[in-house]
Structures are given as C-alpha cells and as structure tokens.
Amino acid sequence: MTRTIDGPTDHVVVVGAGLAGLAATLHLLGAGRRVTVVERGPGPGGRAGQMVRGGYRIDTGPTVLTMPDIADEAFAAVGESLRARVDLIPLHPAYRARFADGSTLDVHTDAETMEAEVERFAGPADAAGYRRLRQWLEQLYHAERRRFLDANFDSPLHLLTPDLARLAALGGFGRWDARIARHLRDERLRRVFCFQALYAGVPPARALAAYAVIAYMDTVAGVYFPRGGMHALPTALADAAAEAGATFHYGQEVTHLERAGERVTAVVTEQQRIACDAVVLTPDLPVTYRLLGRTPRRPVRTRHSPSAVLWHAGCDRTWPELAHHTLSFGRAWRRTFHELTRTGELMSDPSLLITRPTATDPSLAPPGRHLHYVLAPCPNTDIGPSATDWHALGPRYRESLLRELDRRGLSGIAAAVEEECLVTPADWTAQGHAAGTPFATAHTLAQTGPFRPRNLVRGTTNAVLAGCGTTPGVGVPPVLLSGKLAAARITGTRPRARLGRGSRPPLAGALP
C-alpha cells in the first residue's frame, strides 16, 4: 500500500490549471471531492497555452499528443471521453528526419510502412533490424508499464518486483544508444530512435536503455494533433471539469498558504482566501517549496534538463518539404549533447525540431498563411548563459538561427515572416522555471522513480505535488499521470493503468 494523506479531504484546492492540475481535478471530482482550481493565468493550459497574433493561433508548449488513453482516463473519471470533446488527427508521418548529407527519412508508426521506408533508406539488413528493434521496444514497454510508469513510490523497495527482473533481462540497465546499435547499423537511422533522450535531459550514450520506451511512444504507438492546436486539450479538460462541478478562479496568483501545524487550512491569493481540506500544488518545485516553507533535502545536487529557444513565426509562405514535424539533424551528434549537458555551450552544429502545424490544421493561420515553430535546444542557465545574458544574446541567436534555416533549405524565411515571437531561457526564468528550462529536473538515475522529488513533502500532511518536476516526469502523458497520482494520494484510490489496445506509454520519467 502507498501512503495517502491523513484527515478530511472533502474540499480540495488545486493550484494551477495546467495539464497536471486539470487531470487531478477530474480524478478528484470522479472520486466525489469538491474541487476549486486557482490559476494565475487568464485561462487554462499552463505550459500548453496559446497566444493569438495577427490571426495566427500559436501553441506555446507541446506540439503533439501521444498516449491519448491517459488523457481519456481523466475525462472518463467524470463520465466523459476525450474523443467526444477533442478531434484528434493522426500524423502520417509522425516525423520527417532530414540529415546533413541531404538524405530524408519519414518515420511511420505503422510497422509495414516503416519497414519499407527503412529498407529504402538503409537497406534490407537494417529493415530486419528495425523489426527486431520494434519487438524489443514493445517488450520494454510492457515490462515497465504497470509497476514503473503509473505508480506512486514511497520507497525504492517498491521497485523490487518481478517486472524489475524482466526489465533487467531485456537489457534495460545498459546504455540506450548501445542497445539501439545492436539492431541498426546506419548511424543516421540510430538517431531517429535515440534523439528522444533529450526529453529526459540525458545524452543517449549515458541514458539507461530503459528510457528507450520514449522511442516506443514516438515511433510505434502513434502521434496525434488536436484540431485547433494542442491548447484544445486543456480547454476541453477544463470544460469537462467545470461541467462536473469544479470552480475555477483565473487571474489569481497564490501568495501563501495558511497552516495549522502540519496541515494547510487555506489557500490565499491577492483577491481571496479559500479554505480547504487538502491542496494539490502544480507550480514548478521552487515555487511550490516556497509556498510550503520547506525544501526537502537531497543527497545529491539537483540537475536540470537542457532548455530551449523557441521561435514562432507566422509566414506568408511555407516549404513543402516540411512535414508536420521535421527533425533537421546537423552533422554533429555526440558533441551536440556534450555542449548541451556538459560544457554549457550553444550548439555549434544544431539539430532542430521544426513544426508546421498548419500542414495538419490550416485554420491555425489566416487563409493562405502558414505557422512555423522552431525548437533549438540550448543549455540551461545553471551551466550555460544566464537569464541576463540571454536578453542581449537572444536577438543575435535569432539571426544565426534564421541563417541556418535558410542554409538548410528554408530559403527566404526571414523575408516571409509576418508575425513572430522568440522565447529564450530568460523568458522561462521570468515564468518561474528553475535553471531557465521548461523541462524541469533531468531524468538521471538519481532523479527517477522513487528517487525523483516525491509528490508528498515531509512536514505537511495534506499537500500533494503534481507536474513535471515530480512523479513521474516531463511530457504531456507523464504530467497527466502526475495529476492522477496526486489525486490517488488524496482519495486513497489505487491508480490503475488501462492496458487496452492502443495504450500509449508515458515518457520515461518513472523508470528505475
């Protein structure tokens, strides 16, 4: 049995209407609790927000949805369904990979289609290797799903299950890139199944092979885009919660928590005081710990994931070679990860994620216009340029980024821009994200599963944490799961994963 909070839990205040807070709200409502949600922004979404500029509707965070079953669990808690409220469009291909030598690979989640594409790209030997790799990824997922990905941990001893032995037998405690190399000989092809290590904030050469379950999500299980943009998901979650009885207070930032001994008795904003029996806190950990008045001691220093520069551009043209998602790889690979996670340098030969959401949903831009989103990983402010440095560095980096995009085939992109927005670690810092990164603490061994910051904090008996900084980790599915796990700490209901056909794995934030 895992721990649950003590005392009454009739009225729960959820701080934050991002994906974690909304998932927690729906699971709490489904368990019969009265829920009040307090959000500092003007509406729901958190990181999955949306801004409108000149008729362009720009998602400010995630660009696709994986594991729709996890979102559906939150809706199902109040008798709703995801697909009744959100129009999900499957992406084919899930990604298009473009390499420095001019070669291109479309990444499909359908086995036969992808096998044929691999054979075209790298030959029959790697096509056979892909079949073996796909089987291994599926076995890895099933070994991790029940005990590691959707579970609250109170002790490392909770890992001691037969599934741990299965994971070890599958080579889960080896190195990610070495395991992929067992199946694929083409170095370019291996990148397609290793680049996801950046999600976890660890280079593939140092990441545990167990984290390759993220590649299962991207390349096997399916990738979707909600019509109207990713912001359609939190909007639908909030609407379902409101209709099920939740009360929302937008535009109110929590200033402090009132306490009686170890219990939180009220959540206080500049506008009001809201009495509560329990509280779910979803802000970044430094903000949450400040509200609680306690930062848990850790045996090792917290390491944060790399950050990113985002460039949003509404353009009067596009480039047909761009898929919804295009991975533009530079020639460098190991050096890139070394710069991002060790030396703190900007990528000397960048690998970029270019998203063109209007390829799937043209309504996100004015007629005849196109929306582009370029993500360039960069060091966090702990090891790289500081937030202050980025105020001056940002405009220069934008210019270098545009030159690189032009060189890689997006000719004339600077002249095509009608609306734009540049987001740097300075902006992430201003939003309260530790180390200037929206990707929270890295998924190192010492910050994974029972070793990740817990969703219960000693010294407070009725507060639970949710969000990407706690269990299970970073990414849309893990954040939704974190809300579910937080609700289970309050209601005493054991989280139960639904393993039906089409179930998707979360990012590997809870792996041992």
Side-chain angles (χ1 to χ4, degrees), residues 61 106 226 238 324 344 500:
D106 281 353
H324 186 112

Side-chain angles (χ1 to χ4, degrees), residues 176-177 187 190-191 193-207 303 306 329 332-351 377-379 383:
W176 184 342
D177 63 349
E187 190 272 341
R190 292 201 297 264
R191 292 188 188 188
F193 297 92
C194 284
F195 82 89
Q196 300 89 349
L198 193 59
Y199 299 162
V202 183
R206 298 208 314 270
R303 286 182 53 192
F329 289 107
W333 185 240
R334 289 181 180 270
R335 187 176 79 234
T336 295
F337 282 98
H338 189 71
E339 290 165 341
L340 292 172
T341 64
R342 290 295 190 183
T343 64
E345 300 169 272
L346 299 179
M347 292 183 292
S348 55
D349 183 13
S351 289
C378 69
I383 65 169

Side-chain angles (χ1 to χ4, degrees), residues 3 153-156 285 289 296 298 449-458 465 469-471 489:
R3 289 173 53 202
F153 292 99
D154 292 326
S155 164
L285 292 183
Y289 292 151
R298 293 182 58 81
F451 309 111
R452 196 162 180 82
R454 303 281 178 86
N455 57 6
L456 293 179
V457 179
R458 289 181 181 177
L465 278 53
T470 185
T471 305
R489 291 288 198 184

Side-chain angles (χ1 to χ4, degrees), residues 117-264:
E117 177 69 356
V118 171
E119 183 165 357
R120 177 199 66 79
F121 181 80
D126 271 342
Y130 165 73
R131 288 196 299 270
R132 296 191 300 272
L133 173 60
R134 186 181 178 100
Q135 182 181 27
W136 177 72
L137 290 172
E138 290 173 343
Q139 292 173 333
L140 194 69
Y141 161 57
H142 288 293
E144 296 173 15
R145 180 65 166 96
R146 192 164 68 93
R147 295 288 186 181
F148 305 128
L149 299 174
D150 192 4
N152 277 315
F153 292 99
D154 292 326
S155 164
L157 296 177
H158 286 180
L159 292 173
L160 301 180
T161 69
D163 289 325
L164 187 67
R166 288 181 62 200
L167 186 58
L170 287 168
F173 299 107
R175 295 303 175 190
W176 184 342
D177 63 349
R179 194 73 196 191
I180 299 300
R182 286 190 175 193
H183 302 283
L184 304 174
R185 296 186 297 186
D186 191 293
E187 190 272 341
R188 298 166 302 167
L189 189 57
R190 292 201 297 264
R191 292 188 188 188
V192 170
F193 297 92
C194 284
F195 82 89
Q196 300 89 349
L198 193 59
Y199 299 162
V202 183
R206 298 208 314 270
L208 292 176
Y211 286 105
V213 74
I214 314 174
Y216 172 94
M217 176 191 69
D218 273 353
T219 65
V220 176
V223 180
Y224 301 83
F225 186 70
R227 193 176 302 280
M230 273 298 293
H231 187 61
L233 176 60
T235 298
L237 290 165
D239 288 345
E243 292 173 19
T247 300
F248 285 83
H249 297 290
Y250 295 115
Q252 298 194 30
E253 185 163 3
V254 174
T255 58
H256 65 281
L257 306 175
E258 287 187 6
R259 300 171 66 113
E262 293 189 339
R263 292 190 68 83
V264 176

Side-chain angles (χ1 to χ4, degrees), residues 475-488:
V476 173
V479 165
L480 290 168
L481 281 175
S482 78
K484 173 187 175 184
L485 295 172

Side-chain angles (χ1 to χ4, degrees), residues 351-417:
S351 289
L352 308 169
L353 172 63
I354 306 169
T355 302
R356 183 165 68 105
T358 43
T360 303
D361 185 357
S363 71
L364 296 172
R369 299 300 192 262
H370 306 271
L371 191 56
H372 303 90
Y373 162 118
V374 180
L375 184 150
C378 69
N380 63 50
T381 57
D382 279 347
I383 65 169
S386 69
T388 302
D389 293 335
W390 272 105
H391 288 295
L393 179 59
R396 298 199 304 273
Y397 192 76
R398 172 196 174 275
E399 294 301 319
S400 67
L401 189 61
L402 264 62
R403 287 193 299 270
E404 187 65 25
L405 292 169
D406 193 277
R407 189 183 68 80
R408 295 189 185 189
L410 277 62
S411 57
I413 187 169
V417 175

Side-chain angles (χ1 to χ4, degrees), residues 424-439:
T424 75
D427 300 289
W428 303 126
T429 299
Q431 293 175 31
H433 301 320
T437 174
F439 305 119

